[in-house]
C-alpha cells in the first residue's frame, strides 16, 4: 500500500514540476501560461506519454483545477465589454 501512495506522490510532484516548466516556457514565448499548463497536462497524461496514470485522486484534482480556472475567468470577465464592444 505504501508503494502505491509513494507512486501517487511522485506522479503529483512530477506533474506540478512540469506544469511550472510549461508555465515558464509559455510565458517566455509570449503565450498564455494557461496554454502551457494545459499542453503539459496533455503531454504527460495517459493519452500521450502516460507518465501520470488516471486515478480517482487525479480525477478529483482535474475537477478542482477546472473549477478554479472557471472561477479565475469569472473574475476577469467584464459584462460591459460584451454590451459595448469597441
Amino acid at each position: 500500500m505504501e508503494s502505491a501512495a509513494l507512486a501517487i506522490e511522485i506522479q503529483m510532484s512530477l506533474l506540478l514540476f512540469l506544469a511550472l516548466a510549461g508555465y515558464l516556457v509559455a510565458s517566455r514565448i509570449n503565450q498564455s501560461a494557461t496554454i502551457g499548463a494545459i499542453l503539459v497536462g496533455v503531454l504527460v497524461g495517459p493519452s500521450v506519454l502516460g507518465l501520470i496514470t488516471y486515478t480517482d485522486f487525479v480525477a478529483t484534482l482535474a475537477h478542482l483545477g477546472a473549477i478554479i480556472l472557471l472561477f479565475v475567468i469569472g473574475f476577469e470577465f467584464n459584462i460591459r465589454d460584451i454590451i459595448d464592444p469597441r
Side-chain angles (χ1 to χ4, degrees), residues 9-57:
E9 290 171 353
I10 291 172
Q11 288 180 8
M12 291 301 107
S13 299
L14 177 68
L15 184 60
L16 289 173
F17 175 73
L18 290 175
L20 177 63
Y23 171 83
L24 293 173
V25 168
S27 296
R28 187 84 161 171
I29 59 174
N30 296 327
Q31 293 296 317
S32 171
T34 306
I35 298 297
I38 290 172
L39 287 177
V40 165
V42 168
L43 284 175
V44 301
S47 59
V48 178
L49 295 177
L51 296 176
I52 306 298
T53 57
Y54 193 74
T55 61
D56 290 336
F57 181 69

Side-chain angles (χ1 to χ4, degrees), residues 5 8 13 17 22 44-45 48 50 59-61 64 70 82-83:
I8 289 173
S13 299
F17 175 73
V44 301
V48 178
T60 303
L61 284 180
L64 183 64
L70 290 172
I82 293 177
I83 294 172

